Amino acid sequence: MEIRFYPDSNLEDFKEAVLEYQKIWDENGSRIILSWEKHSGLKFREIYINAVVWGGMSASHPLSLRYNLLPDGKKETLAHELGHRLLYKRVPGMGKLSSLDRHKFMNLIFY
């Protein structure tokens, strides 16, 4: 899978964070994907994803990543949001769960 990281806009300087996310992905992307697939029994369907690096909260759809996290936080956030994308619309009843319950379910796999 390819992830293309982009700054939200030119109004703030997110270049450093974009480069950091790209480095994290280059160094850890294969392990993140293999781990999710191994432990969930599911395969990622997406071949590429565009990711926006910005100043808000991270989210999976669209893939939006906070710029102001420490490197380990960026790696954890990227892996976490990819887990949401993997499970999205693929686990029966997942859409009916509260956000807290979806995270509890996901964390059983993630951790």
Side-chain angles (χ1 to χ4, degrees):
M1 175 191 307
E2 177 185 354
I3 299 181
R4 300 172 189 149
F5 298 93
Y6 297 99
D8 177 50
S9 77
N10 67 323
L11 295 180
E12 293 189 55
D13 187 7
F14 297 125
K15 285 183 269 182
E16 185 178 324
V18 167
L19 292 174
E20 195 165 357
Y21 273 111
Q22 185 64 60
K23 181 180 178 190
I24 289 166
W25 182 247
D26 292 344
E27 293 175 358
N28 302 282
S30 295
R31 285 188 304 190
I32 292 169
I33 295 298
L34 290 173
S35 182
W36 270 116
E37 290 181 346
K38 175 184 173 186
H39 296 296
S40 72
L42 300 171
K43 297 284 184 197
F44 281 91
R45 295 176 176 171
E46 296 167 297
I47 297 169
Y48 73 89
I49 301 171
N50 291 319
V52 175
V53 178
W54 74 315
M57 295 293 292
S58 296
S60 58
H61 291 88
L63 185 55
S64 307
L65 304 165
R66 283 179 54 188
Y67 82 98
N68 60 347
L69 300 171
L70 296 173
D72 283 344
K74 285 181 173 84
K75 183 167 46 172
E76 292 166 5
T77 298
L78 180 56
H80 177 92
E81 297 306 341
L82 287 174
H84 281 296
R85 292 183 78 98
L86 175 66
L87 299 174
Y88 183 70
K89 293 187 178 180
R90 305 226 5 233
V91 175
M94 186 71 107
K96 296 178 183 179
L97 297 176
S98 69
S99 176
L100 177 62
D101 287 337
R102 282 193 307 270
H103 279 91
K104 285 179 182 179
F105 179 85
M106 193 175 80
N107 287 338
L108 290 173
I109 299 167
F110 189 60
Y111 294 108

